[in-house]
Amino acid sequence: MHSVALLTASYAKDIERFSLLSESIDTWLSGYTRHYVLVNDEDVPLFARFASDRRVIVPASRYLPKWLFALPPALQFISKRRVWLSLLSSPVHGWHIQQILKIAGVLNAPEQRVCILDSDNLFFREFDVGQYAGAEKTPLFVTPKDIGADHPLHGVWLRTVDQLLGIEDRSFPADDYVGNALVWDKDTARAMTAQIKSATGLNWVLALCRKKKFSEYLMYGHFVANSPAHLANHLVTEDSIAVSHWDDTPLDRPAIEALMRAASPEQVALCIQSYSSTSVEDIRDVFRLSSRDRRAPSLSPEDMGDAAEFEVKTRG
């Protein structure tokens, strides 16, 4: 078995969601060595309360190059998003910095495998992540042929990924590797960044700062898919361990409960995207994490029928 770490890139506005994630990890997860939490330098004091023997709060500056520096919040008069400046590229926003930090965090982790958890994820069942992520082959989640050439986001991201990796002759529809609770292998991530340098002639961080419209998950997945040696070390699966709510519709408590019931027995995590503006307290109450109730919610036959119908609606 390979050693396994957890990694989250977060920031102040997501701290309540991160609080729920960390609580769920402490309640349900085993089989990992450390949970690395990468945050903006000024947010370190806010996240300090989550630090423990197994959870390490890491300032972003530890992994970002010296030529990339954050504009102080007091000087951000126009942009509502956090901005990083550089003399080598145009300004970079916080979402791109989080993607860069995830890659850098994997490269710098002592562990061989890293399960990447965004702040809007949580666990609701007991799960040995070491057995899942530390096995001989790294699990690689894919949704086959899900990206059309005209996809407004993933299509654009994938074309950028192809440029960064030097992939030619792209055909659509293409496979989608975006998901939740994804696992990366450190050696594979190192080879991926080397490929970026080979294809662009630039340090991988600078290459990403200049391109911007990319997805770290698409990049890792398509790098693996186009490298027979690395593909052989991954176990490709269409089964996610997370049930997800991807759109921007807020969920009330009954809808959250229905989404939970839609989870298959193998799904142990939930992601309700933060941009849906779903109440964190409603999520917390549904999963009863605040009271440390470790009993998995039971489902009646009627619930299972409702769950299947709900999943069709949410995915449709």
Side-chain angles (χ1 to χ4, degrees):
M1 299 296 293
H2 295 285
S3 57
V4 176
L6 310 178
L7 186 147
T8 302
S10 192
Y11 74 127
K13 289 184 178 180
D14 272 350
I15 195 166
E16 290 307 314
R17 286 181 167 79
F18 175 80
S19 176
L20 185 53
L21 167 64
S22 63
E23 188 174 343
S24 76
I25 290 172
D26 295 344
T27 303
W28 300 111
L29 251 62
S30 62
Y32 68 96
T33 58
R34 293 286 187 276
H35 181 194
Y36 301 104
V37 184
L38 283 52
V39 300
N40 302 340
D41 287 40
E42 69 272 15
D43 293 340
V44 169
L46 297 176
F47 282 81
R49 62 188 173 98
F50 300 107
S52 68
D53 291 343
R54 302 184 72 185
R55 181 167 293 117
V56 183
I57 311 303
V58 183
S61 61
R62 184 178 301 176
Y63 291 152
L64 296 177
K66 299 300 182 183
W67 49 261
L68 186 62
F69 55 94
L71 184 67
L75 299 180
Q76 294 187 178
F77 303 112
I78 300 177
S79 177
K80 295 181 180 180
R81 297 183 293 172
R82 197 74 166 88
V83 176
W84 274 255
L85 301 179
S86 167
L87 297 177
L88 303 178
S89 72
S90 57
V92 183
H93 292 105
W95 184 63
H96 299 112
I97 292 295
Q98 284 199 358
Q99 294 185 78
I100 291 170
L101 286 174
K102 291 176 192 177
I103 299 171
V106 172
L107 295 177
N108 285 278
E111 295 79 7
Q112 182 64 31
R113 303 279 173 77
V114 178
C115 182
I116 304 174
L117 302 167
D118 291 333
S119 295
D120 43 17
N121 286 254
L122 63 84
F123 290 87
F124 59 92
R125 288 174 179 157
E126 289 186 354
F127 184 55
D128 186 334
V129 68
Q131 291 290 329
Y132 172 73
E136 179 182 359
K137 292 190 175 185
T138 308
L140 180 65
F141 171 70
V142 62
T143 306
K145 308 299 181 184
D146 199 51
I147 303 177
D150 58 349
H151 195 291
L153 287 178
H154 293 209
V156 174
W157 294 344
L158 185 52
R159 289 185 175 91
T160 303
V161 164
D162 287 347
Q163 295 171 15
L164 289 166
L165 295 175
I167 297 175
E168 300 178 353
D169 302 322
R170 167 64 59 195
S171 60
F172 289 94
D175 293 343
D176 195 347
Y177 294 93
V178 175
N180 291 295
L182 301 181
V183 180
W184 283 15
D185 175 77
K186 181 167 64 175
D187 290 343
T188 304
R190 185 177 293 117
M192 178 185 73
T193 56
Q195 180 62 27
I196 294 172
K197 183 176 182 179
S198 176
T200 65
L202 300 172
N203 168 276
W204 70 268
V205 178
L206 180 56
L208 297 186
C209 287
R210 288 187 176 179
K211 286 294 185 182
K212 294 185 178 64
K213 294 182 180 180
F214 66 93
S215 160
E216 76 281 30
Y217 298 139
L218 285 180
M219 187 158 56
Y220 184 92
H222 281 277
F223 171 76
V224 172
N226 284 271
S227 171
H230 290 288
L231 183 59
N233 291 323
H234 285 71
L235 179 64
V236 180
T237 177
E238 297 178 32
D239 299 320
S240 173
I241 64 169
V243 58
S244 303
H245 176 69
W246 289 105
D247 63 44
D248 58 3
T249 305
L251 299 182
D252 57 16
R253 293 189 188 188
I256 298 170
E257 292 170 353
L259 184 61
M260 175 186 66
R261 295 186 186 111
S264 70
E266 293 75 28
Q267 290 178 310
V268 298
L270 169 75
C271 177
I272 298 177
Q273 294 292 328
S274 58
Y275 52 70
S276 73
S277 299
T278 299
S279 165
V280 178
E281 288 309 310
D282 283 349
I283 300 172
R284 183 185 296 277
D285 288 345
V286 168
F287 291 102
R288 301 188 297 278
L289 290 170
S290 59
S291 61
R292 287 294 197 272
D293 185 349
R294 296 181 62 88
R295 293 175 299 163
S298 60
L299 301 180
S300 68
E302 293 78 13
D303 288 336
M304 293 303 292
D306 293 341
E309 180 180 357
F310 182 82
E311 185 165 24
V312 169
K313 289 181 179 178
T314 56
R315 289 183 65 85

